[in-house]
Amino acid sequence: MRIVRVVLGAALAAGFVAPAMAQAKAKPPAPPAAAKDAAAKSKVKPGPVGPLAAALVGGDVDAAAKAAASLGDDPTPAAHEALLDALSTGLAPKAAAPALESLAKHPAPADVAVLLVYAGHRDDDVRAAAVAALGAYPDPLAKKAGVAALGDDTEKVRAAAASAVAKGKWREGVDRLMALLDKGDAAAPPALAALADADLAHSIAEHLGNAPAATLAVTLGMILKRADFPEPAKLEVVRAIAKIPGAEATGALTDYLEATPEKPPRKSRAEAEKIVEARLAGGGAQ
């Protein structure tokens, strides 16, 4: 019954939320929040949550946004329910975005239904917040929506989707991320670096000539700085970066040297040092 109530509540937000990503592309102006109606329908929570729950659905949007953020810092079920109830009824974009972020701080299975609705919101910030939040949920529907959002028309939403894919370790998103890499999309490097194992790092390196050199260098450089990435594979990544022309590749190796102590000795660090010295001395592409 709880899930049904959430789904029905999310449907009430139809005036605020576009039903699909296709509608998000048009981005018609979002109508004003029905704050008074929301306040009337919301249950006042007992204890310290009560005033925040009331502010969340009140007529002051700034106060609602602050209340949404504060409720996220409260791990109690009452705070979580206040956020879910308000989102199910419908919040103005300025309050909805922080409410979605707060909801995902203490994820519960029932959240997914309302997050999926807000993932089609007309407002870019709200849509991005909902998509980013999906990464905290192992639900297959959350995964499907998060991966699909990598194709959103808005950069911040694609970045949020990439963050969700990385957080959820959703390897189903790798193909789309590789396509974004080839386009030079800034959303791709952090997510690919987080997902990469030795095989994926090798596949990324093979995109030399397809992906912009700078984006490729940044991606491989992020992989290098991962403390949990195996040393033999790091050596291969260093050699792959050495093939990339431009200052970004030199910078990626320099950043690795600065982030990695000299002891214990590492073959990857020693080789990176030689490549950087050669480039700075004019012996290689910079």
Side-chain angles (χ1 to χ4, degrees), residues 20-21 24-25 27 118-134 145-165 170 177 180 185-188 191:
M21 196 74 72
K25 296 178 181 178
K27 298 182 185 66
Y118 278 89
H121 201 283
R122 296 168 180 150
D123 183 89
D124 293 344
D125 290 334
V126 174
R127 197 161 73 258
V131 167
L134 290 171
V147 171
L150 290 169
D152 196 278
D153 285 344
T154 302
E155 181 178 357
K156 69 173 64 177
V157 180
R158 293 195 302 275
S163 175
V165 169
W170 298 335
L177 287 170
L180 292 177
D185 196 305

Side-chain angles (χ1 to χ4, degrees), residues 131 143 145-152 155-197 200 203-205 207 210-212 215-216 219-220 222-223 226:
V131 167
K143 180 189 300 186
V147 171
L150 290 169
D152 196 278
E155 181 178 357
K156 69 173 64 177
V157 180
R158 293 195 302 275
S163 175
V165 169
K167 184 173 183 178
K169 301 294 183 184
W170 298 335
R171 297 192 70 83
E172 292 86 346
V174 166
D175 288 345
R176 281 178 176 260
L177 287 170
M178 295 291 262
L180 292 177
L181 176 71
D182 286 345
K183 294 178 180 179
D185 196 305
L192 284 172
L195 292 171
D197 54 15
L200 179 53
S203 296
I204 291 169
H207 278 241
N210 293 323
T215 309
L216 186 61
T219 305
L220 293 173
M222 288 181 173
I223 294 173
R226 271 181 45 192

Side-chain angles (χ1 to χ4, degrees), residues 24-110:
K25 296 178 181 178
K27 298 182 185 66
K36 292 183 179 179
D37 290 344
K41 295 176 183 178
S42 176
K43 297 178 181 178
V44 176
K45 305 295 186 286
V49 171
L52 292 174
L56 182 59
V57 295
D60 187 333
V61 178
D62 290 330
K66 291 179 181 178
S70 296
L71 286 166
D73 295 330
D74 186 340
T76 64
H80 190 88
E81 187 175 354
L83 288 164
L84 195 56
D85 284 348
L87 286 165
S88 296
T89 303
L91 291 174
K94 190 172 184 178
L100 291 161
E101 294 170 5
S102 290
L103 191 73
K105 289 182 178 180
H106 308 286

